Amino acid sequence: MTGGAGADPVGRALLCALRETGASAGALYVPADDEPVLQLTVMSGLPATFLAPWRRVALAAPIPVAVASREQRLVWAGDRRQLSRDFPRTAVAVPYEFSLAAAPVGGTAGPRGALLLLWPGGHAPRLSADERTAVEASCRHLAALLREHHRSEGPDPRSDDSASRPEDPAPPSAGSASPSADSAPPPDGPRVLTIPPARPVSPDEALAAADCLERLPGGCCALDLEGRITAVTTGAARLLGERDTRLLGTRPWEILPWLRDPAFEDRYRAAVISRRPVSFTACRPPDQWLTFRLFPDGRGLSVWISPSDKDYRPVEPYPTPADVMPARAGQIYHVLHLSAALTEAVGVQDVVDLVADQIVPAFGAQGMIMYSAEAGRLRTIGHRGYSAEAVATFEGVALGAAVSPAVHALATGEPSFYTTREEMERDYPGLPQLTGKAARAVLPLIVSGRPVGCCILSYTRPRTFSQDERQVLTSLAGLIAQALDRARLYDTKQQLAHDLQAALLPHGLPRVPGFAVAARYLPATRGMDIGGDFYDLIRLDDDSIAAVIGDVQGHNAAAAAFMGQARTAVRAYATAGASPAEVLARTNRLLAALDPDLFTSCLYVHIDLRTRRACLAGAGHPPPLLRHPDRHTTVLHIPPGLLLGIEPGARYTATELTLPPQSVLALYTDGLVETPGTDPEHSVADLARRLNDAPPVGPERLADTLLEYRRDDTDRQDDVALMLLAALPAGPVTPV
């Protein structure tokens, strides 16, 4: 969708941002209505196809605009090296010289959009103070416009019809507050704004310019940003060997077979993005070598074509039949981008979401359904744009049946492409009416000759699939298949790990007279298969309990088994009547004798319910905290002791204290306090301050309060266990 030079306020604001910042291209992303996605709504300086891989960007994605919006900060990549280091997925899809800035549009409250700006290659390593100020002012201006649009509930901000719109507010001052951007989802793709010409030209001047170009040696032609020829001189047509009437409106690499090598289109893309002159030499068969010099700006490219002054050998034309188009450079980079994204998909749902959110819109589809092949049957693992009835019809269909295009694709291993309802009705009667789809690409997902599933992209209107699209989709299906196979294995391992974790942790805590108890377990967010933390509350007899917490080294099945052994040993020795120090000593000897090459920290607390006297012994575990009745909190420095499972002869020392009524004893693992680069003692002191400042609530709400900041941590490296024992108000404590 293209437009003029910013007839609407948002468009004018974007073009103003380009002028004020000196950027060569820009784009505005706004949040989607009901999903954590940024959508490209308006852009200028680049063809829409260049940003196709990023038309919809998940907020959690490692993409500059997503990071800027998510973290509310300006993201800068001064060159290819920095882009490759910080955003490798983006760098592999855009391997050119340019500088990039992504800045948040909107404040800390509500939805957050992002402004993307590109500068030509050769920009200074950092933004200047003036450029940064201009970027920030542009973001505030856009945020105000989007907020005003949301309040007025007017038409889409991409629309040219501005009669019913409020007046374009002036850009706010540098010190004004940043209003929050609201969503304005683009229904038909982003609006592409054309940068105004440098100056108006009269018909006489245009004719004189054409005469001037005709007199130049060689030949000249003009391309728009999309790469289509908009003007061509007689000399250029003669050198290219084609009539000017056939050249106009086409892309050179599409109409001239000897320019179909993706390398030539790649040079055009490099010129548009880097805004630097680019040249290359190509051979027009049989032996006419031509030099192409491309001079880009924000409206297109001027191309000078001349016979090459170098003596190259004659070469064969690009070995492609006239009716077959090789994969274009943009599609190659698109596949590279999507394949990089697929390598980041961890579970099956990640693969489904990536296909739905990035691959479906990239190929203009309105529907997607993915199946896995399990026990000889189709199982639906994800879908978009299909009714529940259509999904249920093929759920569990045997792979030996012949009632589904997915079954046929898996049986033959060959993709199929249906361009009309009639084609589909001929092979599968009733399917178009059931699904409401007129065209579809049916892609079998095959790994090492073994079918793992099928992916169907569907369209509500008839659609043809060009040869290059079929090639790209077929290649992409292989990448999806590998990602899906890995994801299924990962999910299986994760489910096994979670089941094992659930079996090893207590399903509930016993009721304890005189105490209210709460416990929490929080798994790591990434990179861990299973947690090694454990806790337990043991009712020893009518008058005493034992509380245990520990953290096993490692996060795998061996660590989980070791955790189960440690928890069982502690419980056995505790119920046998051993003292806290002796419980740890005996457990340590047992674990060392098992020789698992693992170890664990542990904190054991024996509490006499009559006297509220607590006896604590530790084995390399973080110190417990005690919040006193007056709500001041202290760190209990007990003898640390050696980790369990290292030295069989290790001895442990116990410490005794009384738990006053309305006091709270906090036991935790290091995942609650550990922060890379922070002194552990400072982290423990910070937890003590949070406990100290927490409101006087019960242990359940208090536990949630202490974990609140860790729950929001999307990059939590370690799991967390927490147990709170709150002494209830009671009668006088029996003296010891």
Side-chain angles (χ1 to χ4, degrees):
M1 185 174 182
T2 59
D8 63 285
V10 173
R12 290 199 298 271
L14 178 63
L15 293 180
C16 179
L18 297 184
R19 289 194 303 271
E20 296 297 324
T21 62
S24 55
L28 175 64
Y29 285 82
V30 298
D33 279 327
D34 300 316
E35 51 185 340
V37 169
L38 291 175
Q39 296 189 113
L40 177 60
T41 180
V42 61
M43 59 183 294
S44 182
L46 290 175
T49 53
F50 279 25
L51 291 183
W54 304 281
R55 179 177 164 183
R56 287 166 51 88
V57 175
L59 272 174
I63 303 297
V65 290
V67 174
S69 177
R70 185 172 67 243
E71 300 181 5
Q72 285 290 282
R73 66 178 178 88
L74 187 141
V75 174
W76 170 255
D79 54 25
R80 284 180 59 188
R81 180 182 301 177
Q82 185 177 358
L83 189 67
S84 299
R85 183 185 68 239
D86 297 342
F87 302 99
R89 188 199 295 184
T90 304
V92 76
V94 196
Y96 309 113
E97 288 294 344
F98 65 97
S99 299
L100 173 152
V105 173
T108 57
R112 304 166 180 174
L115 173 65
L116 175 67
L117 296 170
L118 273 63
W119 283 264
H123 188 281
R126 293 179 178 83
L127 285 173
S128 68
D130 289 343
E131 287 172 329
R132 180 178 288 270
T133 299
V135 170
E136 293 170 351
S138 298
C139 289
R140 288 193 295 271
H141 187 194
L142 286 165
L145 290 172
L146 292 174
R147 185 177 65 173
E148 186 66 25
H149 162 74
H150 174 62
R151 287 177 174 173
S152 64
E153 296 183 349
D156 191 301
R158 301 173 304 116
S159 172
D160 281 329
D161 183 10
S162 57
S164 61
R165 291 186 169 278
E167 290 300 316
D168 183 7
S173 63
S176 62
S178 298
S180 61
D182 212 299
S183 62
D188 301 314
R191 171 173 165 78
V192 182
L193 303 178
T194 302
I195 296 176
R199 61 184 180 88
V201 178
S202 67
D204 290 342
E205 191 175 3
L207 181 60
D211 288 340
C212 175
L213 293 177
E214 288 288 353
R215 287 191 291 270
L216 291 176
C220 299
C221 64
L223 309 181
D224 62 15
L225 284 178
E226 295 283 352
R228 292 182 292 259
I229 299 175
T230 57
V232 60
T233 66
T234 304
R238 183 174 60 253
L239 289 172
L240 297 176
E242 192 58 81
R243 298 192 307 274
D244 58 355
T245 53
R246 289 203 65 214
L247 290 169
L248 290 173
T250 67
R251 296 178 176 88
W253 49 86
E254 292 177 353
I255 193 171
L256 301 172
W258 47 279
L259 284 180
R260 288 184 178 177
D261 189 319
F264 300 139
E265 184 195 356
D266 182 67
R267 296 298 80 206
Y268 142 77
R269 292 172 62 88
V272 170
I273 292 177
S274 70
R275 291 293 168 85
R276 287 176 165 180
V278 171
S279 65
F280 64 87
T281 303
C283 180
R284 173 190 161 193
D287 56 4
Q288 176 64 63
W289 286 92
L290 301 175
T291 296
F292 294 77
R293 294 179 175 86
L294 283 60
F295 302 91
D297 70 1
R299 295 176 55 82
L301 298 91
S302 300
V303 183
W304 180 31
I305 310 170
S306 62
S308 176
D309 56 0
K310 294 185 179 180
D311 184 15
Y312 295 94
R313 296 180 304 167
V315 297
E316 294 295 325
Y318 190 77
T320 305
D323 60 342
V324 176
M325 175 73 71
R328 291 176 51 183
Q331 292 167 328
I332 293 173
Y333 290 131
H334 195 169
V335 172
L336 286 173
H337 165 75
L338 293 174
S339 64
L342 284 167
T343 63
E344 299 172 3
V346 178
V348 170
Q349 192 59 48
D350 295 332
V351 176
V352 172
D353 290 344
L354 188 137
V355 172
D357 295 339
Q358 298 194 37
I359 294 176
V360 167
F363 289 92
Q366 288 79 50
M368 179 279 296
I369 189 164
M370 284 186 69
Y371 297 104
S372 65
E374 299 178 12
R377 295 185 178 275
L378 286 181
R379 301 295 181 191
T380 307
I381 58 176
H383 62 90
R384 299 285 194 282
Y386 278 84
S387 67
E389 179 187 4
V391 173
T393 299
F394 299 103
E395 177 63 24
V397 169
L399 295 183
V403 296
S404 162
V407 169
H408 176 76
L410 287 173
T412 62
E414 295 293 332
S416 55
F417 300 89
Y418 295 89
T419 61
T420 64
R421 290 177 178 268
E422 291 73 21
E423 288 183 12
M424 182 60 64
E425 184 69 28
R426 182 191 63 219
D427 292 345
Y428 301 98
L431 186 59
Q433 182 177 359
L434 174 67
T435 62
K437 302 297 188 290
R440 69 193 62 209
V442 185
L443 309 172
L445 307 179
I446 310 294
V447 175
S448 301
R450 173 175 52 88
V452 297
C454 183
C455 179
I456 299 177
L457 304 183
S458 56
Y459 302 80
T460 55
R461 296 180 180 179
R463 186 188 194 280
T464 58
F465 297 90
S466 63
Q467 186 65 30
D468 57 324
E469 280 185 312
R470 297 183 183 213
Q471 292 174 0
V472 170
L473 285 169
T474 301
S475 299
L476 198 55
L479 298 172
I480 296 173
Q482 294 177 12
L484 180 61
D485 198 39
R486 291 193 307 269
R488 289 172 61 185
L489 178 60
Y490 175 84
D491 282 352
T492 300
K493 292 172 62 179
Q494 281 295 97
Q495 188 60 51
L496 176 62
H498 291 161
D499 291 346
L500 181 59
Q501 182 81 47
L504 292 173
L505 290 174
H507 297 291
L509 299 177
R511 296 178 63 86
V512 180
F515 283 85
V517 184
R520 297 287 187 272
Y521 171 76
L522 207 60
T525 55
R526 70 177 184 90
M528 306 297 182
D529 293 328
I530 188 171
D533 292 9
F534 67 94
Y535 62 85
D536 203 355
L537 186 66
I538 309 166
R539 188 68 186 269
L540 299 175
D541 53 40
D542 291 343
D543 299 324
S544 61
I545 61 171
V548 187
I549 195 164
D551 186 359
V552 175
Q553 168 215 14
H555 296 82
N556 51 34
F562 189 71
M563 180 253 278
Q565 292 168 337
R567 178 171 170 243
T568 301
V570 169
R571 177 175 278 268
Y573 293 130
T575 55
S579 66
E582 192 61 25
V583 167
L584 294 185
R586 293 182 184 182
T587 302
N588 175 59
R589 286 195 295 270
L590 174 63
L591 297 180
L594 295 174
D595 193 24
D597 291 328
L598 293 173
F599 52 82
T600 181
S601 69
C602 186
L603 180 64
Y604 181 91
V605 183
H606 178 279
I607 300 177
D608 187 317
L609 299 178
R610 297 169 305 169
T611 64
R612 295 198 189 94
R613 193 68 177 171
C615 185
L616 301 85
H621 200 81
L625 305 176
L626 180 63
R627 189 170 84 169
H628 297 269
D630 62 2
R631 291 179 53 196
H632 85 275
T633 301
T634 57
V635 179
L636 302 180
H637 295 287
I638 64 174
L642 192 63
L643 293 163
L644 303 181
I646 296 179
E647 172 54 51
R651 294 181 178 275
Y652 300 89
T653 304
T655 299
E656 293 190 2
L657 58 91
T658 298
L659 302 176
Q662 297 185 308
S663 65
V664 178
L665 180 66
L667 316 179
Y668 56 92
T669 56
D670 57 10
L672 184 60
V673 295
E674 212 169 53
T675 302
T678 303
D679 188 323
E681 290 188 4
H682 291 167
S683 298
V684 171
D686 182 62
L687 177 61
R689 282 192 295 272
R690 293 202 306 275
L691 181 59
N692 192 79
D693 297 338
V697 295
E700 293 289 344
R701 290 178 59 189
L702 182 57
D704 291 336
T705 299
L706 294 179
L707 287 178
E708 192 172 52
Y709 86 109
R710 277 303 192 188
R711 291 186 191 277
D712 297 334
D713 189 350
T714 59
D715 194 25
R716 191 170 52 253
Q717 298 290 320
D718 200 0
D719 45 347
V720 176
L722 172 67
M723 182 183 291
L724 299 179
L725 297 100
L728 301 175
V733 177
T734 304
V736 179

